[in-house]
Structure formats: structure tokens, C-alpha cells
Amino acid sequence: MSASVASSRAPATGGFLARFEGFRAQLPGDPDRRAQAADLFRANGLPGGLPGRRAEAWKYTSLRPVAEASFREPLTAIADCAGLLARLPNVGLPRLVFVDGRYRGDLSADGFPAGVSISTFARSPDFGALARPERENMVALNTMLAEDGVRISVADGVDGGTLMLVNLATEQSGRATAFHPRHSIRLASGARLSILEVSLGDGVYLHNPVTELVVAAGAHLSHVRLQDEARTAFHLSTLYADIAEGATYDSFALNLGARLARTEIHARLGGTGATVHLNGAQLLTGSQHADITTVVRHDAPGCASRQTIKNVLSGRSRGVFQGKIEVDRIAQKTDGYQMNQALLLSPDAEIDCKPELEIFADDVKCSHGATVGELDRDQLFYLRARGVPLAQARALLVRAFLTEALDAVTDETIRDALEAAVSRWWESEPL
Amino acid sequence: MLEIKGLTADIGDKTILHGIDLVVPNGEVHAVMGPNGSGKSTLAYVLAGREDYAVTGGTATFDGQDLLTMDPEARAAMGIFLAFQYPVELPGVNNANFLRTALNAQRRLRGEDELDAIKFLKLARAEMKNLAMPDDMLKRNVNVGFSGGEKKRNEVLQMAVLRPKLAILDETDSGLDIDALKIVAEGVNALRGPGFSALVITHYQRLLDHIVPDRVHVLAGGRILRSGGPELALELEANGYAGVVAEAA
């Protein structure tokens, strides 16, 4: 009895430490950084994995199912990913493909514009300067076990065009796998880049990427993520963005897949007039759980942050939005906006929304809001009075709610790809 | 033919319709006039099938079929059209998609072939031209950011495209300037013929200068108090509703 109590109070680590001990000699990059991360992970374990150890940041999302699963090394050599590749949006973009967390040059394009350089974490391992493993336990786990990831840099004033970053997970019969990609994307002054990032897969796996984005003065990075993981998968992503003077990071996350997903973003507006957009939509059913957590730090005057998150929740699904805006005392003329909207299509669906404002400057404009509701009765009647049957009227209104969210994506090709993903979701999940 | 007999209806625990008797033969346009709060809009909603109202007695049939047991969409498919007093905004749904969805849903319910996008656009553009509506109205979200007049015109566009057998116009004239009023009236008059009838609900006589009714009914306190020819509308305009209401009491 006492032994079981003691073990339930130890950090839940899901067998990851054992894997680290077995593989550490083969892992690329600074061994000291990894050892530090392992110490942090050993001390803190998986966040929210056990009762009594829930950090505030993980109040609504428990990683107990991750702690209870036993994940193993992916066997990429046997992976057949033709079926997965066929499910990618047909957008004709040059792509960089990772399978089970490892770069696959044979499936990736080359021939990017001059000034765009592409490499991998495996080739040039660099943990960067933005990630905070001491604060985010999933990042400690990633730092401990990261093997590969993309490294993109765009030189001064270069327009790098649009590319697709692909993360595929293959089904490995009877094996639950885990991989921890470490991505880094850097735009020099005045550079531009647009990325469509797609994550999809089959089987049971944990996809735990950490991404570092550096957007230098006047640069513009557009980043649209389509998370369409297997319904049996865990997707826990952490992203850090550092946005300099006059630069823009414009992001959108569409969460459709995974049994449990968390999209965590830490964005720092570090130079005057920087802009960040963290928009997103989550479309959940069954017992899916998806969490968008953002921390936007205004560290310079005259910066703008915009966040609109829309949730469509059916079945017993649960959506979470936690949004924190921190305004430093020098960040006068800050313009911060945050909105979380949820459409609950079932009495058993749930949305948890936690806005937090921490403001130390006195001349700022910060607002947040949340709406939760069912479909509008007047709108339903209007459609029915025009001859549209109830089920079709409901579907049309839900699609309309999502269409408004997708309007935040300005690139038409990419928006069409998201619309198509929503349509596919729709065909498989009639409401 | 629309036949209403002894129709009573409540909202919540309040009775609004106290026994309506009304017959609109095919091909005729009837006006229902009455003071505010007399039950005009309730009558329109009950005929269209709004579930917030509980029908407590009486019957309403269209071409012999019992309306009151039908879903709103089935009533629409059999040719009943309600032009809303307050047209509803549908953010994220563009007008073209809305209209085509409605038209094809009705056609499907009637067992007819659906219209493809090209045929539909041809039809919609022709009707918009008649209503002096700019083409970009099709791309805009339904009623979102529309002026009062644009919303009403959009209702008439839907009516023109859906070609109902019975149109119920619920205060379609409110909020219209005289030019818009004429356009709306022309839209209704263009549909007039043996296969079309209309119930024009209005507070004022001025719409009836442009859509001349075959009959005029005065609705007050949830009952039809008087019926007559088009001259009744002029009498109401001159003397107000008080006379009719006092006479009936």
C-alpha cells in the first residue's frame, strides 16, 4: 500500500528516461544540454500527468494517458508512407518531409530560391536560445531526446516563397512510438517566408515537436499548421517565436486530429511595431481533447497581437484555450486582442477558456472575450423556412462558423487546402 | 389555396391568435393590416412553421394539405415562402451558396433535378437585374452589413428565385424608401398570376398603392375584425384602426 502511494507521487516519465539512458551516446548535439534537460525531466516528469502535481499551465489538460502508454523507438526503415503522402494537400508546393521524426531527403524537394538554406538538426544540431526546458516539461523531454528536425534560414531581404513542412507518422503494428523533432526557422531582416506545416499519421504515437522561430527586423513569416494526426495519437507541440522590430509572425493552427493535442505557443514581441497573429480553429468529436495555450509577451512599444480561436465541439470532446498576454512596462501603445469562440453541438462537449492579462504599462489597449453557444435558433429557422432540412442547415451553419475562422488565412492556395481538410473531416463525421 | 379556420396560437403562456379565419384563393393577393401587437407577425410565423409558437386549435391547409404538421422545410418545398420582417444575418454563408442550397433543397424535396452552378447563376443574375441589385450581392455574406433596404430586396430576390406558390410578406415595406418600395412591389407583381398568391402583411397603406390587393383584412387582438376590397385600406389610412376596432368590440 505505502509503496504504491510513494510511486504514484513520483514524476510520471513514461519510460522516456530509460530510452535516454540507452541512446544518449548516439544523440546529436551538446550532451550537456541534454543531460540538463534529462535532470529537469527526471525531477518534473510529464506535466499534468499525476494528480497533485498539476501546474497551473496544465490545469485543463492531463498527460496521464501519455504517462501510462509505453512508447518505443520508431522503426523508420520499415515504414511505408505512400498512403500517408497521398493524403497530403495537393498544393504543388516544394516540401520537406519527416517520417517518424526523421528527415527523408528522398521524399523532399530541393531547388529552393537562392538565399534560402535548408538543413536538418541531425546534420547541424543546435538547440537554439529560445526554448525553456526549465519551464516547459515537454520541452525538457524534447531536448533530452530530439534526433532530427528542419533548419530553415532565409537571408536578408530574400523572399523564400512558400513551402510545405510535412510530419508523417507511420503505423508500426503493436508499437506505440514517440518522436521529438526540433525545428528551427530563421528569417533575416526584411526576409519573407510562408510555411504550410502538415502533421498526419496512423497508429499510436506521440509527436512532440519543439519549434524555434526568429523573425528579424521587418521580416514576415506566415505559418499555417494543419494538425490531422491519427485519432489514436498524441500531438504536443511547443513553439517559441521571437519577433523583432517591424516584423510579423502570422500563424494559424487548424486542429482536426489526435486523441489529445496541445498547441503551445510562446511569442515575444521584442522590437517596436512588431506584430503577431495566433489564430486557430479546433474541430473535435468523440472524446478528442485539444488545447491551445499561448503566451504573448509585449516587450517593446507599439506592438500588436491578435488571437482568434474558434472551436466546434461535438460528442464528448473538450476544447481548451488558455491565452496569456504579458505587457512589459516599456511596452506603451500595446494593442492586444484575444477572442475565443466555441460552438457546442452536444450537451456533453466542453470548452475551458482562461484569458490572463498581466499589464505593467499604462498606455495600452488590451481586450479579450469569449463566446460559448449552440447554433442560433433564428438562423436555423431562416434556413429551414427556405427549404433547407434541419441536418443540412446545422451543417451549413457550422461550416460558416469555420469559414469565418479560415478567413484569417490570406493565402488562397493554403486556405483551400484547409477547407479541403475540413470537408474530408466532415464527410467522415456527419453531425 | 390557403385556408385557415379557427386558428389559435400561444407563445409561452400568452395567447396571441384568438381564432383566425382566412381564405386566400390561388391567384389572389390579400393584405392583412392591423395595429402593432395585433398578431400579424405571429400569423406569418405560424404559417411558416416557427416552433416557438404553440398552435392550440384550428386548422391551416394549403392546397388541401395540413400545414400545421409539416416541418418548415417541407412547407417551403410545397411552395410557401415567408419574407421576414427582420431578415437574419448568416456570417460565413455567401448569398449565392445560400440561395442555391435553398433552391436545390426544395427541388430535391420535390423530387426534381438539382440546378448546377452555371444554370443557377444565370437564373440568379437575371432576377437580380430585375431588382436593380448589383452582382456582388451574390458574393456577400447573407444580409451581413446590408442596409435595411438591401435586406428587404434580398428577401424579394429569394422569392423571385424560389418561385413560391404562396408568399407571406411580413412588413416587407418597413424601412424602405420609396424607390426601394417600388422595386420590391414590382418584384411581387411580376410573380402575380393564377399559380401565385400572397398574404401581404403591413401596417401602412402605402405598399398597397403598388401591390394592389384583391382583398384587405383587418387583424386586431388576434382576430380578423373586418374584410373588404382595396378601398378598406384607404378607409383605414384615413380613419386609423380605432374605428374598426371599436366597431367590432
Side-chain angles (χ1 to χ4, degrees), chain A residues 378-379 382 384 386 392, chain B residues 50 73 82 106 155 158:
Chain A
D378 289 336
Q379 293 179 341
Y382 193 57
R384 297 180 77 192
R386 294 292 173 260
Q392 196 186 350
Chain B
R50 177 128 206 175
E73 52 267 37
L82 169 63
Q106 291 197 16
E155 293 292 289
Q158 292 165 39

Side-chain angles (χ1 to χ4, degrees), chain A residues 294-357:
Chain A
T294 65
V295 181
V296 175
R297 181 153 185 85
H298 285 257
D299 264 353
C303 295
S305 60
R306 290 269 174 284
Q307 304 177 65
T308 300
I309 311 292
K310 296 203 174 210
N311 304 269
V312 174
L313 308 171
S314 69
R316 289 177 293 118
S317 66
R318 188 172 178 193
V320 177
F321 174 65
Q322 303 184 101
K324 186 172 187 182
I325 301 176
E326 302 172 344
V327 181
D328 190 88
R329 34 190 298 243
I330 65 157
Q332 301 295 358
K333 306 286 181 196
T334 283
D335 181 1
Y337 173 81
Q338 199 183 76
M339 174 56 81
N340 181 47
Q341 298 180 319
L343 201 49
L344 301 181
L345 300 180
S346 133
D348 300 319
E350 181 179 325
I351 178 81
D352 297 294
C353 176
K354 190 178 72 174
E356 276 182 278
L357 302 179

Side-chain angles (χ1 to χ4, degrees), chain A residues 376-392 396-397 399-401 403-404 407, chain B residues 49-52 72-73 76 81-82 84 88-93 98 101-102 105-106 108 143 155 158:
Chain A
D376 185 89
R377 292 165 56 82
D378 289 336
Q379 293 179 341
L380 278 173
F381 178 66
Y382 193 57
L383 284 160
R384 297 180 77 192
R386 294 292 173 260
V388 182
L390 179 59
Q392 196 186 350
L396 190 78
L397 292 177
R399 286 300 295 266
F401 179 80
T403 297
E404 280 201 300
D407 280 347
Chain B
R50 177 128 206 175
E51 284 159 352
D52 306 58
E73 52 267 37
F81 179 90
L82 169 63
F84 282 59
V88 178
E89 297 184 2
L90 302 178
V93 182
F98 169 67
T101 302
Q106 291 197 16
R108 220 166 35 240
N143 295 326
E155 293 292 289
Q158 292 165 39

